Protein backbone atom coordinates (compact mmCIF):
# COMPACT_ATOMS: atom_id res chain seq x y z
CA UNK A 1 0.00 0.00 0.00
CA UNK A 2 2.79 2.41 0.98
CA UNK A 3 4.70 1.46 -2.18
CA UNK A 4 1.63 2.25 -4.29
CA UNK A 5 1.22 5.61 -2.53
CA UNK A 6 4.89 6.46 -3.05
CA UNK A 7 4.59 5.54 -6.74
CA UNK A 8 1.57 7.85 -7.15
CA UNK A 9 3.39 10.72 -5.37
CA UNK A 10 6.44 10.17 -7.60
CA UNK A 11 4.33 10.44 -10.78
CA UNK A 12 2.37 13.42 -9.45
CA UNK A 13 5.61 15.27 -8.69
CA UNK A 14 6.88 14.46 -12.16
CA UNK A 15 3.58 15.75 -13.61
CA UNK A 16 3.90 18.91 -11.51
CA UNK A 17 7.51 19.55 -12.59
CA UNK A 18 6.81 18.98 -16.26
CA UNK A 19 3.18 19.85 -17.09
CA UNK A 20 2.19 22.23 -14.27
CA UNK A 21 5.37 24.30 -14.40
CA UNK A 22 5.06 24.59 -18.21
CA UNK A 23 1.43 25.75 -17.75
CA UNK A 24 2.53 28.33 -15.15
CA UNK A 25 5.31 29.66 -17.38
CA UNK A 26 2.96 29.96 -20.38
CA UNK A 27 0.31 31.76 -18.30
CA UNK A 28 2.91 34.11 -16.77
CA UNK A 29 4.01 35.06 -20.31
CA UNK A 30 0.38 35.64 -21.35
CA UNK A 31 -0.27 37.74 -18.22
CA UNK A 32 2.66 40.04 -19.03
CA UNK A 33 1.37 40.49 -22.59
CA UNK A 34 -2.24 41.04 -21.47
CA UNK A 35 -1.31 43.43 -18.64
CA UNK A 36 0.64 45.70 -21.01
CA UNK A 37 -2.54 46.20 -23.04
CA UNK A 38 -4.85 46.54 -20.00
CA UNK A 39 -2.48 49.05 -18.33
CA UNK A 40 -2.44 51.13 -21.48
CA UNK A 41 -6.26 51.15 -21.67
CA UNK A 42 -6.57 52.04 -17.97
CA UNK A 43 -4.07 54.92 -18.37
CA UNK A 44 -6.41 56.38 -20.99
CA UNK A 45 -9.38 55.87 -18.66
CA UNK A 46 -7.58 57.73 -15.88
CA UNK A 47 -6.88 60.69 -18.17
CA UNK A 48 -10.63 61.00 -18.86
CA UNK A 49 -11.80 60.24 -15.34
CA UNK A 50 -9.27 60.51 -12.46
CA UNK A 51 -11.58 58.64 -10.05
CA UNK A 52 -10.80 55.39 -11.89
CA UNK A 53 -7.11 54.98 -11.04
CA UNK A 54 -5.42 51.78 -12.21
CA UNK A 55 -4.39 49.54 -9.33
CA UNK A 56 -2.79 46.96 -11.62
CA UNK A 57 0.69 46.79 -10.10
CA UNK A 58 3.29 44.07 -10.39
CA UNK A 59 4.62 42.89 -7.02
CA UNK A 60 7.01 39.95 -6.54
CA UNK A 61 6.35 38.74 -10.08
CA UNK A 62 2.57 38.74 -9.65
CA UNK A 63 -0.07 41.34 -10.41
CA UNK A 64 -2.23 42.36 -7.48
CA UNK A 65 -5.91 41.94 -8.26
CA UNK A 66 -5.40 39.67 -11.27
CA UNK A 67 -7.18 36.29 -11.22
CA UNK A 68 -6.58 33.55 -13.79
CA UNK A 69 -9.93 32.03 -14.75
CA UNK A 70 -8.41 29.82 -17.47
CA UNK A 71 -5.25 30.10 -19.63
CA UNK A 72 -7.12 32.44 -22.00
CA UNK A 73 -9.45 34.20 -19.53
CA UNK A 74 -8.48 36.67 -16.83
CA UNK A 75 -10.11 39.07 -14.43
CA UNK A 76 -8.48 42.31 -13.32
CA UNK A 77 -9.94 43.90 -10.20
CA UNK A 78 -9.70 47.70 -10.28
CA UNK A 79 -9.71 48.99 -6.69
CA UNK A 80 -11.62 52.25 -6.29
CA UNK A 81 -11.05 54.92 -3.67
CA UNK A 82 -13.96 54.76 -1.21
CA UNK A 83 -14.27 58.39 -0.02
CA UNK A 84 -17.55 58.79 1.83
CA UNK A 85 -18.98 56.75 4.68
CA UNK A 86 -21.19 53.84 3.66
CA UNK A 87 -22.76 51.15 5.78
CA UNK A 88 -22.07 47.64 4.59
CA UNK A 89 -25.46 45.85 4.51
CA UNK A 90 -25.22 42.10 4.27
CA UNK A 91 -28.49 40.62 5.52
CA UNK A 92 -28.49 37.43 3.45
CA UNK A 93 -31.38 38.54 1.21
CA UNK A 94 -29.04 38.64 -1.81
CA UNK A 95 -26.90 35.43 -1.72
CA UNK A 96 -23.22 36.23 -2.36
CA UNK A 97 -23.91 39.96 -2.50
CA UNK A 98 -24.13 43.02 -0.26
CA UNK A 99 -25.14 46.66 -0.67
CA UNK A 100 -23.45 49.90 0.37
CA UNK A 101 -25.83 52.41 1.91
CA UNK A 102 -24.97 55.98 2.74
CA UNK A 103 -24.85 56.15 6.52
CA UNK A 104 -27.58 58.16 8.21
CA UNK A 105 -27.05 61.86 8.38
CA UNK A 106 -24.26 61.84 5.80
CA UNK A 107 -24.58 64.22 2.93
CA UNK A 108 -24.55 62.66 -0.50
CA UNK A 109 -22.27 65.44 -1.68
CA UNK A 110 -19.52 64.24 0.68
CA UNK A 111 -19.06 61.12 -1.41
CA UNK A 112 -16.59 60.88 -4.27
CA UNK A 113 -19.24 58.83 -6.13
CA UNK A 114 -22.14 61.23 -5.59
CA UNK A 115 -23.85 60.69 -8.96
CA UNK A 116 -23.95 56.90 -8.49
CA UNK A 117 -25.91 57.06 -5.23
CA UNK A 118 -29.58 56.19 -5.71
CA UNK A 119 -32.52 58.11 -4.23
CA UNK A 120 -32.69 55.52 -1.42
CA UNK A 121 -29.04 56.13 -0.56
CA UNK A 122 -27.45 53.01 -2.10
CA UNK A 123 -24.18 53.20 -4.03
CA UNK A 124 -25.19 51.47 -7.26
CA UNK A 125 -22.72 48.88 -8.53
CA UNK A 126 -24.44 48.81 -11.91
CA UNK A 127 -24.33 52.60 -12.40
CA UNK A 128 -20.59 52.70 -11.61
CA UNK A 129 -19.98 49.78 -13.99
CA UNK A 130 -22.01 51.40 -16.74
CA UNK A 131 -19.97 54.62 -16.48
CA UNK A 132 -16.73 52.63 -16.40
CA UNK A 133 -17.80 50.66 -19.48
CA UNK A 134 -18.33 53.90 -21.44
CA UNK A 135 -14.88 55.17 -20.40
CA UNK A 136 -13.16 51.90 -21.33
CA UNK A 137 -14.88 51.86 -24.75
CA UNK A 138 -13.51 55.37 -25.43
CA UNK A 139 -10.06 54.45 -24.10
CA UNK A 140 -9.86 51.36 -26.36
CA UNK A 141 -10.25 53.64 -29.42
CA UNK A 142 -7.45 55.94 -28.23
CA UNK A 143 -4.89 53.56 -26.72
CA UNK A 144 -1.73 52.51 -28.54
CA UNK A 145 -2.94 48.87 -28.74
CA UNK A 146 -6.23 49.75 -30.49
CA UNK A 147 -5.42 47.39 -33.38
CA UNK A 148 -5.33 44.32 -31.14
CA UNK A 149 -7.99 45.06 -28.51
CA UNK A 150 -11.75 45.39 -28.71
CA UNK A 151 -14.67 45.51 -26.29
CA UNK A 152 -16.82 42.40 -25.94
CA UNK A 153 -20.38 43.45 -26.82
CA UNK A 154 -23.72 42.19 -25.40
CA UNK A 155 -22.73 42.25 -21.74
CA UNK A 156 -22.97 44.75 -18.91
CA UNK A 157 -19.51 43.58 -17.79
CA UNK A 158 -16.38 45.37 -18.95
CA UNK A 159 -14.61 42.76 -21.07
CA UNK A 160 -11.76 43.16 -23.55
CA UNK A 161 -10.82 40.70 -26.27
CA UNK A 162 -7.07 40.90 -26.93
CA UNK A 163 -5.46 39.60 -30.13
CA UNK A 164 -8.62 37.49 -30.65
CA UNK A 165 -7.08 35.01 -28.21
CA UNK A 166 -7.63 36.29 -24.69
CA UNK A 167 -10.55 37.76 -22.78
CA UNK A 168 -9.94 40.06 -19.81
CA UNK A 169 -12.74 41.26 -17.58
CA UNK A 170 -11.99 44.50 -15.71
CA UNK A 171 -14.10 44.78 -12.58
CA UNK A 172 -14.42 47.94 -10.45
CA UNK A 173 -14.21 47.03 -6.75
CA UNK A 174 -13.84 48.24 -3.19
CA UNK A 175 -11.36 46.60 -0.83
CA UNK A 176 -12.90 46.00 2.61
CA UNK A 177 -10.33 45.35 5.32
CA UNK A 178 -10.85 45.03 9.05
CA UNK A 179 -14.49 43.92 8.71
CA UNK A 180 -15.98 40.50 8.02
CA UNK A 181 -19.32 39.82 6.32
CA UNK A 182 -22.23 38.58 8.40
CA UNK A 183 -23.04 35.96 5.74
CA UNK A 184 -19.60 34.40 6.43
CA UNK A 185 -19.91 34.71 10.24
CA UNK A 186 -20.23 30.91 10.69
CA UNK A 187 -16.57 30.58 9.63
CA UNK A 188 -14.43 29.04 11.00
CA UNK A 189 -16.56 26.07 12.06
CA UNK A 190 -16.18 25.70 15.85
CA UNK A 191 -15.57 21.92 15.88
CA UNK A 192 -12.76 21.99 13.27
CA UNK A 193 -9.21 22.77 14.44
CA UNK A 194 -8.16 24.19 11.05
CA UNK A 195 -6.94 26.85 10.27
CA UNK A 196 -6.09 27.80 13.89
CA UNK A 197 -6.74 31.14 15.66
CA UNK A 198 -3.70 33.01 14.32
CA UNK A 199 -4.43 32.20 10.68
CA UNK A 200 -8.14 32.99 11.20
CA UNK A 201 -7.20 36.43 12.57
CA UNK A 202 -4.92 37.05 9.54
CA UNK A 203 -7.62 35.99 7.08
CA UNK A 204 -10.30 38.15 8.71
CA UNK A 205 -7.94 41.15 8.82
CA UNK A 206 -7.24 40.58 5.09
CA UNK A 207 -10.97 41.09 4.58
CA UNK A 208 -12.70 40.77 1.23
CA UNK A 209 -13.57 42.67 -1.95
CA UNK A 210 -16.88 44.03 -3.21
CA UNK A 211 -17.05 43.65 -6.99
CA UNK A 212 -19.29 45.40 -9.48
CA UNK A 213 -20.26 42.48 -11.70
CA UNK A 214 -23.22 40.34 -12.71
CA UNK A 215 -24.20 38.02 -9.87
CA UNK A 216 -25.45 34.64 -11.12
CA UNK A 217 -27.51 34.06 -7.98
CA UNK A 218 -29.55 37.16 -8.84
CA UNK A 219 -30.10 36.33 -12.50
CA UNK A 220 -33.63 37.10 -13.52
CA UNK A 221 -34.34 39.30 -10.49
CA UNK A 222 -34.35 42.86 -11.67
CA UNK A 223 -35.37 44.86 -8.60
CA UNK A 224 -33.39 47.99 -7.73
CA UNK A 225 -31.57 46.28 -4.83
CA UNK A 226 -30.10 43.75 -7.27
CA UNK A 227 -28.78 46.39 -9.63
CA UNK A 228 -27.22 48.18 -6.66
CA UNK A 229 -25.71 44.98 -5.20
CA UNK A 230 -21.98 44.26 -5.01
CA UNK A 231 -20.58 40.72 -5.29
CA UNK A 232 -18.51 39.45 -2.34
CA UNK A 233 -15.09 38.04 -3.25
CA UNK A 234 -12.47 36.51 -0.92
CA UNK A 235 -9.49 35.95 -3.25
CA UNK A 236 -6.72 37.08 -0.86
CA UNK A 237 -8.28 35.29 2.13
CA UNK A 238 -8.45 32.05 0.11
CA UNK A 239 -4.84 32.39 -1.05
CA UNK A 240 -3.71 32.90 2.53
CA UNK A 241 -5.57 29.79 3.71
CA UNK A 242 -3.90 27.63 1.09
CA UNK A 243 -0.33 28.39 2.11
CA UNK A 244 1.89 25.65 3.52
CA UNK A 245 2.34 21.93 2.89
CA UNK A 246 1.40 20.57 -0.54
CA UNK A 247 -1.79 22.66 -0.83
CA UNK A 248 -0.58 24.96 -3.63
CA UNK A 249 0.99 22.05 -5.50
CA UNK A 250 -2.26 20.10 -5.23
CA UNK A 251 -4.23 23.06 -6.61
CA UNK A 252 -1.76 23.53 -9.45
CA UNK A 253 -2.17 19.86 -10.49
CA UNK A 254 -5.97 20.18 -10.35
CA UNK A 255 -5.92 23.32 -12.50
CA UNK A 256 -3.66 21.64 -15.06
CA UNK A 257 -5.90 18.55 -15.21
CA UNK A 258 -8.92 20.84 -15.63
CA UNK A 259 -7.32 22.81 -18.47
CA UNK A 260 -6.28 19.66 -20.31
CA UNK A 261 -9.27 17.36 -19.73
CA UNK A 262 -12.22 19.19 -18.19
CA UNK A 263 -12.59 22.21 -20.49
CA UNK A 264 -16.02 20.99 -21.59
CA UNK A 265 -19.09 22.28 -23.46
CA UNK A 266 -21.27 24.45 -21.20
CA UNK A 267 -18.20 25.45 -19.15
CA UNK A 268 -19.21 23.42 -16.06
CA UNK A 269 -15.84 23.71 -14.29
CA UNK A 270 -13.36 26.53 -13.74
CA UNK A 271 -10.27 27.04 -11.60
CA UNK A 272 -12.35 28.54 -8.81
CA UNK A 273 -14.24 25.28 -8.26
CA UNK A 274 -10.85 23.57 -7.76
CA UNK A 275 -9.68 26.26 -5.33
CA UNK A 276 -12.93 25.92 -3.34
CA UNK A 277 -12.59 22.13 -3.04
CA UNK A 278 -8.99 22.46 -1.80
CA UNK A 279 -10.33 24.64 1.06
CA UNK A 280 -12.93 21.98 1.95
CA UNK A 281 -10.24 19.29 1.86
CA UNK A 282 -8.19 21.39 4.33
CA UNK A 283 -11.15 21.25 6.73
CA UNK A 284 -11.53 17.49 6.30
CA UNK A 285 -7.80 17.02 6.95
CA UNK A 286 -6.95 19.73 9.48
CA UNK A 287 -3.53 18.44 10.63
CA UNK A 288 -0.44 19.86 8.91
CA UNK A 289 0.91 16.28 8.69
CA UNK A 290 -2.02 15.49 6.34
CA UNK A 291 -0.55 18.00 3.87
CA UNK A 292 2.96 16.60 3.87
CA UNK A 293 4.36 15.95 0.37
CA UNK A 294 3.95 12.20 0.97
CA UNK A 295 0.14 12.70 1.23
CA UNK A 296 -0.20 14.48 -2.12
CA UNK A 297 -1.83 11.44 -3.79
CA UNK A 298 -4.39 11.01 -1.00
CA UNK A 299 -5.34 14.69 -1.01
CA UNK A 300 -5.70 14.82 -4.80
CA UNK A 301 -7.78 11.65 -4.82
CA UNK A 302 -10.02 13.01 -2.03
CA UNK A 303 -10.64 16.26 -3.94
CA UNK A 304 -11.43 14.50 -7.23
CA UNK A 305 -13.95 12.22 -5.47
CA UNK A 306 -15.51 15.26 -3.77
CA UNK A 307 -15.70 17.00 -7.14
CA UNK A 308 -17.53 13.99 -8.65
CA UNK A 309 -19.96 14.03 -5.72
CA UNK A 310 -20.64 17.78 -6.17
CA UNK A 311 -21.17 17.34 -9.92
CA UNK A 312 -23.58 14.45 -9.37
CA UNK A 313 -25.54 16.42 -6.73
CA UNK A 314 -25.35 19.51 -9.01
CA UNK A 315 -24.26 21.64 -6.10
CA UNK A 316 -20.90 23.14 -5.12
CA UNK A 317 -21.24 25.51 -2.12
CA UNK A 318 -18.95 28.56 -1.95
CA UNK A 319 -16.41 28.00 0.83
CA UNK A 320 -17.16 31.17 2.83
CA UNK A 321 -20.78 31.60 1.69
CA UNK A 322 -22.32 28.10 1.67
CA UNK A 323 -25.75 29.45 0.65
CA UNK A 324 -24.18 30.37 -2.68
CA UNK A 325 -24.05 27.48 -5.17
CA UNK A 326 -21.11 27.77 -7.59
CA UNK A 327 -22.90 25.49 -10.08
CA UNK A 328 -25.97 27.72 -10.29
CA UNK A 329 -27.01 28.32 -13.88
CA UNK A 330 -24.80 25.53 -15.26
CA UNK A 331 -26.64 23.15 -17.64
CA UNK A 332 -27.39 19.80 -15.94
CA UNK A 333 -26.13 17.88 -18.98
CA UNK A 334 -22.77 19.73 -18.74
CA UNK A 335 -22.43 18.83 -15.02
CA UNK A 336 -23.28 15.18 -15.77
CA UNK A 337 -20.73 15.05 -18.55
CA UNK A 338 -18.11 16.64 -16.26
CA UNK A 339 -18.86 14.04 -13.54
CA UNK A 340 -18.23 11.20 -16.03
CA UNK A 341 -15.01 12.76 -17.32
CA UNK A 342 -13.73 13.45 -13.78
CA UNK A 343 -14.52 9.86 -12.77
CA UNK A 344 -12.54 8.54 -15.78
CA UNK A 345 -9.64 10.81 -14.86
CA UNK A 346 -9.65 9.85 -11.15
CA UNK A 347 -9.84 6.11 -11.94
CA UNK A 348 -7.02 6.37 -14.46
CA UNK A 349 -4.72 8.23 -12.02
CA UNK A 350 -5.49 5.90 -9.12
CA UNK A 351 -5.23 2.56 -10.95
CA UNK A 352 -2.32 3.51 -13.17
CA UNK A 353 -0.24 6.47 -11.91
CA UNK A 354 2.08 6.12 -14.91
CA UNK A 355 -0.84 7.32 -17.06
CA UNK A 356 -0.08 10.85 -15.79
CA UNK A 357 2.69 10.93 -18.39
CA UNK A 358 -0.01 11.03 -21.10
CA UNK A 359 -2.61 13.13 -19.23
Amino acid sequence: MIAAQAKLVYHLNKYYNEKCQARKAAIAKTIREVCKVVSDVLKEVEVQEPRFISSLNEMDNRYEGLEVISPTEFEVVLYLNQMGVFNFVDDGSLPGCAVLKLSDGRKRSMSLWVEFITASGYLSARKIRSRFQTLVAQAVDKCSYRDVVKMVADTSEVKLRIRDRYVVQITPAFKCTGIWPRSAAHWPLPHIPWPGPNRVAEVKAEGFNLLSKECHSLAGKQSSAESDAWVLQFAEAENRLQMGGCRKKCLSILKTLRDRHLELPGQPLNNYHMKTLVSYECEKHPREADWDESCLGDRLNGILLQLISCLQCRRCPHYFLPNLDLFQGKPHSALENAAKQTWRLAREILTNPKSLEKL
Side-chain angles (χ1 to χ4, degrees), residues 52 62 72 105 124 141 156 176 184 243 262 315:
F52 290 102
R62 62 183 286 264
T72 56
S124 171
D141 289 339
S156 84
C176 303
M243 287 173 176
L262 298 168
R315 181 166 165 74

Side-chain angles (χ1 to χ4, degrees), residues 17 66 91 137 155 157 188 203 261 289:
N17 292 329
L66 183 132
D91 57 9
T155 172
E157 315 271 37
V203 165
H261 305 283

Side-chain angles (χ1 to χ4, degrees), residues 38 90 254:
V38 173
D90 160 38
L254 286 161

Side-chain angles (χ1 to χ4, degrees), residues 143-195:
C143 78
S144 45
Y145 290 97
R146 56 187 167 277
D147 297 339
V148 296
V149 61
K150 51 179 180 282
M151 291 281 282
V152 175
D154 304 327
T155 172
S156 84
E157 315 271 37
V158 179
K159 287 187 179 180
L160 301 178
R161 191 179 300 286
I162 297 172
R163 299 189 205 284
D164 279 331
R165 273 207 302 271
Y166 311 114
V167 173
V168 185
Q169 179 164 333
I170 311 175
T171 305
F174 289 115
K175 208 177 191 48
C176 303
T177 48
I179 59 168
W180 193 247
R182 197 196 313 182
S183 47
H186 66 284
W187 184 86
L189 298 175
H191 57 284
I192 291 177
W194 182 82

Side-chain angles (χ1 to χ4, degrees), residues 52 115-116 118 122-134 155-158 172 211-215 218-231:
F52 290 102
E115 72 272 40
F116 305 110
T118 64
Y122 292 109
L123 182 63
S124 171
R126 187 174 297 225
K127 284 183 176 178
I128 285 186
R129 187 164 73 249
S130 173
R131 171 81 180 123
F132 182 58
Q133 192 175 38
T134 306
T155 172
S156 84
E157 315 271 37
V158 179
L211 308 184
S212 169
K213 65 194 288 189
E214 292 291 341
C215 183
L218 304 178
K221 299 179 187 174
Q222 288 305 320
S223 80
S224 62
E226 274 86 22
S227 69
D228 299 335
W230 296 79
V231 175

Side-chain angles (χ1 to χ4, degrees), residues 88-319:
F88 171 72
V89 184
D90 160 38
D91 57 9
S93 61
L94 308 168
C97 298
V99 289
L100 291 170
K101 194 172 193 329
L102 208 58
S103 48
D104 294 340
R106 292 276 165 183
K107 290 193 173 65
R108 223 181 230 89
S109 58
M110 288 171 71
S111 169
L112 184 68
W113 306 100
V114 56
E115 72 272 40
F116 305 110
I117 299 171
T118 64
S120 22
Y122 292 109
L123 182 63
S124 171
R126 187 174 297 225
K127 284 183 176 178
I128 285 186
R129 187 164 73 249
S130 173
R131 171 81 180 123
F132 182 58
Q133 192 175 38
T134 306
L135 293 166
V136 171
Q138 290 165 2
V140 163
D141 289 339
K142 290 181 181 168
C143 78
S144 45
Y145 290 97
R146 56 187 167 277
D147 297 339
V148 296
V149 61
K150 51 179 180 282
M151 291 281 282
V152 175
D154 304 327
T155 172
S156 84
E157 315 271 37
V158 179
K159 287 187 179 180
L160 301 178
R161 191 179 300 286
I162 297 172
R163 299 189 205 284
D164 279 331
R165 273 207 302 271
Y166 311 114
V167 173
V168 185
Q169 179 164 333
I170 311 175
T171 305
F174 289 115
K175 208 177 191 48
C176 303
T177 48
I179 59 168
W180 193 247
R182 197 196 313 182
S183 47
H186 66 284
W187 184 86
L189 298 175
H191 57 284
I192 291 177
W194 182 82
N198 291 350
R199 183 61 60 92
V200 168
E202 279 175 25
V203 165
K204 288 193 170 181
E206 190 71 60
F208 56 96
N209 294 325
L210 289 175
L211 308 184
S212 169
K213 65 194 288 189
E214 292 291 341
C215 183
H216 298 299
S217 65
L218 304 178
K221 299 179 187 174
Q222 288 305 320
S223 80
S224 62
E226 274 86 22
S227 69
D228 299 335
W230 296 79
V231 175
L232 292 153
Q233 186 228 42
F234 297 84
E236 292 303 323
E238 288 155 349
N239 291 342
R240 198 169 275 267
L241 280 181
Q242 294 183 3
M243 287 173 176
C246 65
R247 292 175 179 87
K248 285 257 159 74
K249 184 180 277 191
C250 193
L251 179 57
S252 192
I253 292 169
L254 286 161
K255 286 176 177 177
T256 309
L257 289 169
R258 190 219 73 88
D259 289 354
R260 295 167 77 96
H261 305 283
L262 298 168
E263 179 68 74
L264 302 167
Q267 299 281 297
L269 290 174
N270 58 36
N271 285 342
Y272 191 66
H273 294 119
M274 302 304 183
K275 194 179 189 185
T276 299
L277 291 173
V278 171
S279 294
Y280 280 120
E281 188 74 5
C282 290
E283 277 190 357
K284 281 187 208 149
H285 298 277
R287 299 179 318 136
E288 275 311 302
D290 296 332
W291 291 89
D292 184 78
E293 288 281 331
S294 60
C295 302
L296 182 60
D298 289 345
R299 294 296 75 82
L300 188 85
N301 189 31
I303 294 165
L304 288 174
L305 293 176
Q306 184 61 57
L307 175 58
I308 294 163
S309 169
C310 287
L311 288 163
Q312 287 174 337
C313 300
R314 298 173 187 156
R315 181 166 165 74
C316 179
H318 187 287
Y319 178 65

